Structure formats: C-alpha cells, structure tokens
Amino acid sequence: MGIKRRHWALAAAPLALALLATGCDSTPGAGTESKAAPSTSATSAARSVARVCATPAAGPAKAPAGAVTVDPAKVGDLAAKTKSSPPNTTFWLRPGKHRLDPDRYAQVIPKKGDRYLGAPGAVLDGRKKNQYAFGGTARNVTIRYLTVQRFVAPPDEGVVNHDSADGWVIEHATIQNNSGAGLMAGARQQVRANCLRDNGQYGMNAYKANGRISGLVVEGNEIVGNNTGDWERRREGCGCTGGIKFWAVNGADVSGNWVHDNRGTGLWADTNNNDFRIENNVLEDNDGAALIYEISYNAVIRNNTIRRNNWVEGRRAADRGDSFPFATVYVSESGGEPRIKARTDKIEIYRNVLENNWSGITLWENADRFCNSPANTSSGECTLLVRDTHRCAKPAIATAPLYADCRWKTQRVDIHDNRFVLDKSVVKCTAKCDRMAVLANYGTYPDWSPYKGERVADAITTKQHNRWHDNVYLGPWKFVAQDTSRVLDSGQWQSTPYQQDAGSTFQPQAGG
C-alpha cells in the first residue's frame, strides 16, 4: 500500500451486546449537562462499554447438528477437513489448541458459505510459524467464538480473511497477539462483538487490493493494545497503523465499539473513504488521535465519548517544539461533497463529549497535496472527482473544474452541540494541549502548482463552509485560524473575520 500520512509538512441479525461498566476508577465524570451536550447517548456510552476481551461469549459446548467436528489433537485437521468438505459446511472446533501444518503458508481456505464455530476454549494457534489463519476468495464465510492467535502475517497483511473476500461475518472472536493485522476486510463484511487485541500493526486493516469495500459494519468490538510493533517509528510517517485503518471504504457503520489503549491512532480512515457513520463509540487512552478522517468524504461522527487520547503523540510533538495543533479528532483534507453519493453531503460532528484529550478538533489542508503533485504522499491516488490523475497538470489544473476537483478539500464540516472539557492538571500540560483549529500551510510546491501562497489557507478558513456552533467549552481553550501563528481567544474566534462558535458557551475556569 505505502500510503503515507503527513500532518504538516506534507448477514447476521443485530446482536444484543452485553454492556458492562468500564471500571476505570481514575476517569473523571463527564461533567454537568448542558444544552450543547445532550448527552443521553454519549454519557451512557461513557458509563458502559462492551468489555469483550474480559468476558468473551462462549460458543456451543456441543457440535450443532450436521457439523463436522475438528480435533485439536490432529495437526492440520481444520485445513484438511475444510478442503475435503463441500461448500456451506459448518465446522465445530473442539476445546483445545488447534494447529496448522508447520509450513509458513499453511492456512485454512474456506469454501463459499462455510461456518466455523469454536467450542468454549477453542484456539487456533499459529505458533509464530504460520503467516495466515483464514484466506482465499470464498464469499459469505462465518467465524464465531474462536480465538485466533500468534500468527505472523507480514506488514500490511492480515491473519483472518487475508485476501479480503466479501461477505464474511466475524463475531464473538478473539484475534490477538498476531503480527501484521489481526483481520482484513471485504465488502459487506460484518465484524461484531470481537476482541481485537495486541496485534502487531492493526486490529483490522480494511483494505482490498482489487475493488472497493462497501457496506462494512463494525459493531460492539473491543479494539485494544494494537500496533505493538510501533510501526510509525519503524517507518516514519508511514500512516500504517491504527486500532482500525480504513482505505477506500464506501459505506461503513462503526458503532458501539470500545477503542482504547492502542499505540497510536484509534480509528483512522485514510484515502477516498466515503459515507461513514461513526457513532456511540468510546474512544479513550489511545497514544495518538482518537479519530483521523483523511482525504475522504461525507461522514457523520456523533454521540461518541472521547477522552484522554493523544497524550503521548501530542506531548511528543510539543516537546520537540512543533507548533502544529495535533488534535484528538483530526480532519485532514476531507469534507462534504454533494456530488458523491452518500447518506450525508457533509461531515457532521455533533453530540460528542471530548474530555481531557490533548487538544480538540483540527481541520487541516496541505496546500501542496493534490492529485499529481510530488507532495501527495498517497502516491498515485486522485480524488473521487477526477479519475485520471494525469489530468491534474499545467495548464488545465489552473482552471475550472480541475482547480477545485484536483484537491481534496476540507469543506462543509459542521461541528455543533459537542461538549469540550479540558483540565490541564489532568492532562499534565501547560501549553499546546488546548486548541481547536482550522488552517492550512502556505503553498510552495511544485513550481506549477495553482495553489501557491495563502489561497488554500484563506479558503479553508472562510470560504469552504467549515463551521463550529452551539458547543460548550469547559476549560482554557484556545483557537487557531488560517495558520499556526494565529492563536485566538474565544472572543477573537467568534468575531470577524472568523465568526465561529455562534451560540456556544465558554467557561474557562470550569474545566475540572
């Protein structure tokens, strides 16, 4: 894939999920209610999350009628019986540790409609020898109640659904302690009530080499401790980590998940994603941003509880003197686009509670990042409005429609009815942890760029319908507009020319 991120320089029935208290004794309360934080959903999510890893659901203790029984005492039994059985077979894995043949490429290749059910205590163990657990292109495969662990997929590849086949259902599974990604994704995939824990690169990598992923459902999972390999340091600026990473997904519902303590970003949508609903999640204690929505389109982000994120990466940037407003919710070259079909024609961020994170929401554009620019780190990619990247070249790019369509634009972002709480004594910071921002850099590159100078900074700040309003701010918040040098107080932020946060309330002394 090799798609890099750069901030500055560059068919199951719905599940009745068991919700249990988080038990985080050190977590402050969400604060008092307010008109701008109608928190019925958000605070209930804060009080209770799906503790899937601590209390995994048990599979059937007996083989269902007609199921093929798999014996853990026989090495390779699961793969062999899958190969010898017809499509639409149900396999029941007995309690115990199941193993594949020792060859690194040994794996289970399901047939269409196959179903894999783990008995209580059933584990498929790669023994740090096998790269993949389940692969192939068969559609509509189901995996339930099974622990999959200790596989060694290469970077950017995955252990379960390695080949991103379509229509898979993964439920009540524990996918842990693997290299690469615990899980890949195909179209119409349903990922529900799973524990995606301590995988080397991603909990899930929603990437499909051929074709787009559509109709993805990610519901009620616990996504914790991923990126144990610390890949952003091994490949500086690679943009190749996250609790979950989404690439070119057209239509996703991400709801009711507990995304916490990942070594980096919690949820990261990167490169031509569209039509996301990210709601009713608890995103907390991730080293980096809780959520990044990058060079993508049309999303609803609502009723999420977002707390104590970005302390590691935000503080690291501040300590090195970086003035960029590294945010907990980072919207990078992404916006609403009515010409692209979706359930919304904007990015709407509302009814969320953001509490004691390192900074708040940043809307950003890199003026030098556009189709066909050498500064576009998403190499070879173009916007969804221009299919032929090479059209974005001099002289045509300087005129309509390419002048607008060759650039991923942060536009039509509506941020309202959120509650932003900051207590610097909790975050343990004195500066650079207290910012909302809308800005761009000064365009300089390449020499044929039509976006040089302050054009993009002016556009994102005052011309592209990006709007904060009717929010509540508790604590000493500051605001950055146009570029990193313009740090404003709330009065300046609300005044001309910015005119942001109409109808919002500010209580600088009430962040505790």
Side-chain angles (χ1 to χ4, degrees):
M1 290 171 282
I3 298 174
K4 297 183 179 181
R5 159 207 180 195
R6 190 68 272 161
H7 294 287
W8 171 240
L10 321 170
L15 300 178
L17 300 176
L19 298 179
L20 302 175
T22 65
C24 297
D25 294 336
S26 63
T27 303
T32 56
E33 297 297 327
S34 76
K35 70 179 181 67
S39 51
T40 302
S41 298
T43 57
S44 63
R47 288 192 299 267
S48 58
V49 291
R51 294 183 63 86
V52 180
C53 297
T55 55
K62 295 182 180 180
V68 173
T69 298
V70 182
D71 186 354
K74 297 179 180 178
V75 173
D77 196 40
L78 179 59
K81 286 179 174 173
T82 296
K83 185 175 181 179
S84 63
S85 299
N88 300 302
T89 297
T90 296
F91 301 91
W92 180 69
L93 285 73
R94 289 184 180 274
K97 190 171 289 186
H98 296 256
R99 295 160 292 168
L100 303 175
D101 291 334
D103 180 85
R104 65 188 294 189
Y105 297 113
Q107 58 190 286
V108 181
I109 306 294
K111 297 182 175 72
K112 182 178 179 181
D114 281 351
R115 296 172 295 278
Y116 298 87
L117 304 178
V123 177
L124 180 59
D125 193 325
R127 297 177 289 169
K128 297 295 182 181
K129 295 180 179 180
N130 308 116
Q131 290 190 348
Y132 316 120
F134 294 90
T137 59
R139 297 187 175 191
N140 304 332
V141 172
T142 298
I143 299 170
R144 290 192 176 108
Y145 307 110
L146 182 63
T147 294
V148 180
Q149 65 184 29
R150 301 204 306 158
F151 286 80
V152 286
D156 302 322
E157 298 186 37
V159 169
V160 175
N161 197 10
H162 168 260
D163 298 294
S164 302
D166 295 339
W168 285 39
V169 175
I170 300 96
E171 293 176 339
H172 300 297
T174 297
I175 303 174
Q176 64 183 9
N177 302 318
N178 302 287
S179 300
L183 174 64
M184 301 297 283
R188 304 180 308 284
Q189 182 158 301
Q190 300 177 45
V191 182
R192 288 192 170 103
N194 302 287
C195 171
L196 306 180
R197 174 171 60 189
D198 296 336
N199 296 291
Q201 191 175 5
Y202 306 99
M204 182 172 76
N205 186 15
Y207 171 80
K208 191 176 179 70
N210 298 308
R212 287 169 67 80
I213 297 171
S214 60
L216 179 63
V217 174
V218 182
E219 178 185 7
N221 305 281
E222 184 174 351
I223 302 151
V224 54
N226 296 289
N227 187 30
T228 60
D230 200 10
W231 278 94
E232 299 294 336
R233 288 203 172 190
R234 296 168 70 174
R235 296 179 181 173
E236 185 178 357
C238 70
C240 62
T241 59
I244 298 182
K245 191 77 185 279
F246 304 89
W247 313 81
V249 174
N250 185 30
D253 291 313
V254 183
S255 64
N257 302 286
W258 186 19
V259 184
H260 66 102
D261 294 285
N262 293 285
R263 191 173 186 177
T265 302
L267 301 175
W268 190 344
D270 185 356
T271 309
N272 287 338
N273 296 279
N274 175 52
D275 195 13
F276 271 53
R277 286 188 177 176
I278 301 170
E279 56 190 353
N280 300 317
N281 302 285
V282 175
L283 311 174
E284 61 186 355
D285 297 307
N286 297 290
D287 285 0
L291 171 63
I292 298 176
Y293 206 72
E294 182 174 3
I295 60 170
S296 295
Y297 302 89
N298 300 326
V300 172
I301 302 164
R302 64 187 176 193
N303 295 332
N304 300 288
T305 298
I306 302 171
R307 56 194 178 191
R308 301 185 306 276
N309 296 281
N310 205 31
W311 287 16
V312 174
E313 293 188 4
R315 182 170 286 109
R316 185 183 296 153
D319 288 347
R320 67 173 181 256
D322 197 325
S323 61
F324 188 85
F326 289 90
T328 286
V329 175
Y330 181 39
V331 180
S332 176
E333 293 108 356
S334 295
E337 177 49 73
R339 290 174 291 174
I340 297 173
K341 185 177 179 180
R343 290 167 289 182
T344 182
D345 61 1
K346 57 186 175 180
I347 292 180
E348 190 171 14
I349 304 172
Y350 69 103
R351 294 176 64 100
N352 303 285
V353 174
L354 282 80
E355 180 181 351
N356 290 328
N357 301 283
W358 190 280
S359 286
I361 299 174
T362 287
L363 308 186
W364 159 254
E365 278 191 43
N366 181 346
D368 298 330
R369 186 183 193 184
F370 53 90
C371 300
N372 212 27
S373 168
N376 178 22
T377 51
S378 296
S379 304
E381 297 291 335
C382 198
T383 69
L384 294 181
L385 299 172
V386 181
R387 298 296 182 181
D388 182 0
T389 301
H390 298 292
R391 292 179 61 205
C392 297
K394 186 180 179 180
I397 192 174
T399 59
L402 294 179
Y403 179 82
D405 292 351
C406 288
R407 195 175 95 238
W408 290 276
K409 290 187 290 187
T410 302
Q411 64 177 7
R412 299 171 62 84
V413 182
D414 190 5
I415 302 167
H416 65 93
D417 293 288
N418 301 286
R419 185 180 189 85
F420 301 112
V421 180
L422 177 63
D423 184 342
K424 288 187 175 182
S425 69
V426 172
V427 182
K428 295 182 173 60
C429 68
T430 57
K432 298 183 180 178
C433 64
D434 52 4
R435 294 175 291 176
M436 299 281 166
V438 53
L439 76 166
N441 58 334
Y442 191 90
T444 62
Y445 181 79
D447 59 8
W448 52 269
S449 169
Y451 311 116
K452 288 184 177 180
E454 297 181 354
R455 295 180 181 185
V456 174
D458 289 341
I460 188 176
T461 306
T462 61
K463 300 174 183 176
Q464 292 179 181
H465 308 288
N466 298 313
R467 184 174 175 235
W468 279 256
H469 62 99
D470 297 299
N471 300 295
V472 162
Y473 294 87
L474 304 180
W477 289 94
K478 296 179 182 176
F479 305 86
V480 180
Q482 188 136 352
D483 61 58
T484 57
S485 68
R486 302 189 190 187
V487 181
L488 314 172
D489 61 28
S490 59
Q492 294 167 317
W493 176 245
Q494 289 185 299
S495 300
T496 304
Y498 309 111
Q499 296 183 318
Q500 293 290 359
D501 266 314
S504 296
T505 61
F506 302 85
Q507 299 179 49
Q509 307 302 319

